[in-house]
Structure formats: C-alpha cells, structure tokens
C-alpha cells in the first residue's frame, strides 16, 4: 500500500471530523443565542446561568440573635425550585445565606435569612417572570436576580463578588463603620461556611473592593462574576 496515499486519506478524515465538530459547536452556540441566554463558552466563570436571591420572611429583624435567623428555609427551598421548574427553567443548587443590610428608613442594621437559587436554561424575560411570581407568592417587596453575562455585554451592569473569610458579624461591624458602603452597597450576605456574597453595581466595584478588604478578606481570593442584576417586585 502507498503510505503517502494512506496518510493523505487519514488527514482528510481528521479534517472532516474537526470541521463537523466546529459546526456542531457553532450550532449549539447559535441555539443558546436564539433562546436568550449565553452559551457556556460565552460566559465567564459562571457555575449557573442565573441566580435568584429570595426569602419568605416579611418581618424586619434587628436582633442578630433572633431565633428566626436559624430557619433553614427547607420548605421554601422546595417550593421555589418547583416554581422555577413550573415556569420552564431548570433549578440547580440552593444555598442558605445570612444577610446583613442597612435600613435607610429605620437608620439601623437589619438581618435576614434567605436562600440563593441557581437557575439554568432561562433568559432575561423568563428570569424576571419567575422572580415576580416568587415576590407575589411570598409577599416580598422585591426579589434580587443576577444573570451571569460576559463582562463586555451591553447588558452587564453589576458584579457578584464571592470571597471566603467573612461572617455576618464581620458584615455588621463593617457596615456600622462605613457610611458610604451602607448608602451605596446597602449590605451583603454570608454563607454558612463563611463566604461573602455581594452583588454590586459595576460602577461601585472600587468601593466594593475596599469594603471587602476592610472586612479582612483577601481580595486575591475573590471570585468576580459580571452580569445583569434586577430587583423584581
């Protein structure tokens, strides 16, 4: 057998396979774009398409030792995941959060136990609709959503900061000391294993970085995700 001809045939087969693979990838990316959400290749370090931050609590809690802050919101988690699924999206993981926020109206720190929900296979309008259903069902003034997008997307207006080494007590102390952070950032949340979760306007990233380092967290360990945030009422 002519080895030169054999090599040429193998090269043509390999080239055809690569071309088919590239066409498949392009087709998949086109499908993602048409459906209204970015493909995994277009997104940055995003573990999920979008996130919803919500609670079923309607009370204003000002005592960090309030027993309501121990609620694991288990039933709420099951119900919200069912809402997400019912309205055409795919629910992912959910995580408990301890939120610390500044109430401009009451001029004091407030606390809230909430959950973060990962949401996949969802676009902008679908995410807005699901958050609106949750807000109405649980009588919430608003529900925060974050849709992970490329940093350069024209829709990107926010950044989600996640960094280890922060507790609710740390947040409380920092907010009491930093009037600018209270006014412009409003507050943040900590996971049960001590990670800060802060969703801030892109324009306030320098302030968010300063606030994070003032908490004693190592900015070099921070993970930043850019995207579109919305408070849905």
């Amino acid at each position: 057998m002519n080895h030169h001809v054999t090599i040429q045939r193998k090269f043509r087969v390999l080239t055809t396979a690569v071309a088919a693979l590239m066409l498949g990838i392009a087709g998949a990316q086109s499908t993602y774009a048409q459906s209204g959400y970015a493909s995994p290749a277009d997104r940055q370090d995003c573990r999920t398409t979008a996130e919803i931050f919500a609670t079923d609590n309607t009370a204003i809690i000002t005592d960090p030792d309030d027993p309501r802050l121990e609620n694991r919101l288990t039933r709420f988690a099951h119900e919200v995941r069912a809402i997400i699924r019912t309205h055409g999206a795919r629910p992912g993981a959910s995580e408990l959060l301890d939120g610390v926020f500044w109430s401009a109206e009451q001029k004091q720190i407030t606390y809230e136990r909430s959950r973060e929900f990962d949401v996949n296979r969802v676009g902008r309008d679908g995410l807005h609709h699901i958050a609106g259903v949750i807000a109405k069902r649980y009588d919430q003034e608003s529900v925060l959503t974050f849709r992970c997008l490329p940093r350069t997307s024209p829709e990107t207006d926010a950044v989600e900061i996640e960094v280890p080494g922060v507790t609710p007590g740390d947040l409380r102390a920092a907010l009491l000391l930093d009037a600018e952070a209270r006014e412009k950032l409003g507050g943040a949340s900590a996971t049960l294993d001590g990670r800060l979760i802060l969703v801030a306007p892109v324009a306030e990233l320098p302030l968010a970085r300063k606030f994070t380092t003032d908490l004693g967290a190592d900015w070099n360990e921070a993970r930043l995700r850019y995207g579109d945030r919305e408070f849905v009422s």
Side-chain angles (χ1 to χ4, degrees):
M1 180 178 291
N2 188 319
H3 290 288
H4 179 69
V5 173
T6 301
I7 292 173
Q8 284 185 321
R9 287 176 178 173
K10 289 182 178 179
F11 179 76
R12 285 199 298 270
V13 170
L14 177 61
T15 303
T16 302
V18 171
L21 175 62
M22 295 305 294
L23 284 171
I25 292 173
Q29 289 178 334
S30 175
T31 300
Y32 272 108
Q34 292 173 7
S35 62
Y37 48 84
S39 72
D42 290 335
R43 297 201 303 268
Q44 0 141 25
D45 180 22
C46 297
R47 66 177 184 274
T48 184
T49 302
E51 296 169 275
I52 291 176
F53 299 86
T55 183
D56 63 355
N57 175 61
T58 57
I60 296 175
I61 301 175
T62 57
D63 179 3
D65 296 319
D66 192 301
R68 288 172 292 185
L69 297 174
E70 297 299 320
N71 189 340
R72 295 192 62 84
L73 301 177
T74 303
R75 180 176 178 179
F76 176 68
H78 290 308
E79 292 173 350
V80 169
R81 285 168 59 85
I83 290 172
I84 292 170
R85 188 178 296 107
T86 297
H87 290 275
R90 181 178 297 170
S94 176
E95 187 165 24
L96 274 170
L97 300 175
D98 288 317
V100 182
F101 305 100
W102 173 252
S103 172
E105 182 179 344
Q106 297 192 16
K107 302 298 181 184
Q108 62 181 338
I109 297 290
T110 64
Y111 301 88
E112 186 172 81
R113 174 58 70 90
S114 64
R115 275 189 172 272
E116 177 274 333
F117 296 90
D118 290 351
V119 187
N120 293 296
R121 307 290 295 183
V122 69
R124 180 187 59 190
D125 294 343
L127 184 65
H128 177 92
H129 176 73
I130 291 169
V133 171
I134 295 170
K136 182 176 181 180
R137 177 164 179 178
Y138 297 100
D139 196 25
Q140 297 297 303
E141 182 177 343
S142 66
V143 168
L144 172 63
T145 67
F146 180 80
R147 188 165 51 99
C148 201
L149 298 169
R151 183 175 180 175
T152 56
S153 170
E155 295 181 84
T156 292
D157 62 8
V159 57
E160 180 184 65
I161 300 166
E162 180 178 341
V163 61
V166 177
T167 68
D170 296 332
L171 285 176
R172 180 180 184 276
L175 284 177
L176 286 173
L177 290 174
D178 193 332
E180 185 179 17
R182 291 199 302 266
E183 177 184 347
K184 295 183 177 180
L185 301 179
S189 296
T191 63
L192 298 192
D193 62 357
R195 286 176 289 114
L196 171 73
I197 304 293
L198 170 60
V199 180
V202 169
E204 300 300 343
L205 181 55
L207 175 61
R209 176 173 180 169
K210 177 182 179 300
F211 180 69
T212 300
T213 55
D214 286 347
L215 282 166
D218 184 351
W219 185 257
N220 292 324
E221 296 185 20
R223 301 179 68 176
L224 273 61
R225 304 179 183 93
Y226 290 85
D228 169 46
R229 75 168 185 171
E230 183 181 12
F231 290 93
V232 182
S233 56

